[in-house]
Amino acid sequence: MLTIIGLLSTTFGVSVASALLPLISVELFVVGLVLKEPEIPWWVLALVIAAGQIGGKLLHYYAARGSIRLPGLVRREREAPKTRGRWRAWLESFRENCRSRPVWAGAVLLISAVASLPPFAAVAFVAGWAKVPVTTFLLTGFVGRFARFGVLAAAPTAMTTWL
């Protein structure tokens, strides 16, 4: 039988892995863990998962900034852009909005961290590319992820006491 520390360590590892690989669902893991081990406080789970998620997403953030060199398998060789397409124009507009409106950038990060709309992995990458300050990314991302997973971890207990 795993101890609470062992379960929290496993939870941290799963949350980092799910931040890096979108095929891993930390949401399903949390619901299963809370149903199997209801004595773990919801806020402890939320703290551990938020820390793991932000740790994993920080790699996306720094990779987009160019601070981390990606392996050749996932790295594209840079070419001079031939034309300015719609997607490129949108990204440039987003980058400028992040620079000129830091509160707006924080709000987008917070909403994405809570709701995952747009997906937080994509927003983490674009935030790094747009050079959003790392403190803004860490603070809004952690608060948003804590809220998301706090609600998820508390939901089974709340439902059983409510019903």
Side-chain angles (χ1 to χ4, degrees):
M1 192 66 156
L2 286 174
T3 65
I4 298 296
I5 300 297
L7 289 171
L8 293 176
S9 299
T10 302
T11 301
F12 182 79
V14 169
S15 66
V16 170
S18 74
L20 297 173
L21 303 168
L23 296 176
I24 298 171
S25 174
V26 73
E27 288 85 356
L28 290 176
F29 179 83
V30 170
V31 170
L33 180 62
V34 169
L35 292 174
K36 184 171 178 350
E37 302 289 341
E39 71 277 354
I40 301 174
W42 67 267
W43 59 271
V44 173
L45 277 176
L47 280 173
V48 169
I49 295 166
Q53 283 275 296
I54 292 303
K57 299 299 185 200
L58 209 54
L59 293 175
H60 292 280
Y61 175 89
Y62 279 123
R65 268 196 153 180
S67 300
I68 296 175
R69 187 160 169 84
L70 296 174
L73 182 64
V74 292
R75 188 179 61 237
R76 280 191 327 177
E77 295 301 320
R78 295 190 181 245
E79 305 172 355
K82 298 174 184 87
T83 61
R84 186 179 159 129
R86 218 172 18 172
W87 178 243
R88 181 76 176 174
W90 181 87
L91 284 172
E92 290 294 338
S93 171
F94 183 83
R95 177 186 270 180
E96 186 53 41
N97 278 333
C98 287
R99 284 187 189 140
S100 63
R101 299 165 42 192
V103 173
W104 176 85
V108 169
L109 283 166
L110 184 63
I111 291 167
S112 177
V114 172
S116 284
L117 289 172
F120 191 55
V123 171
F125 187 83
V126 173
W129 178 81
K131 307 247 188 288
V132 171
V134 70
T135 53
T136 301
F137 176 75
L138 288 173
L139 185 63
T140 57
F142 186 83
V143 168
R145 291 274 121 170
F146 178 81
R148 176 183 179 86
F149 292 108
V151 167
L152 189 63
T157 304
M159 291 301 290
T160 56
T161 56
W162 183 55
L163 296 175

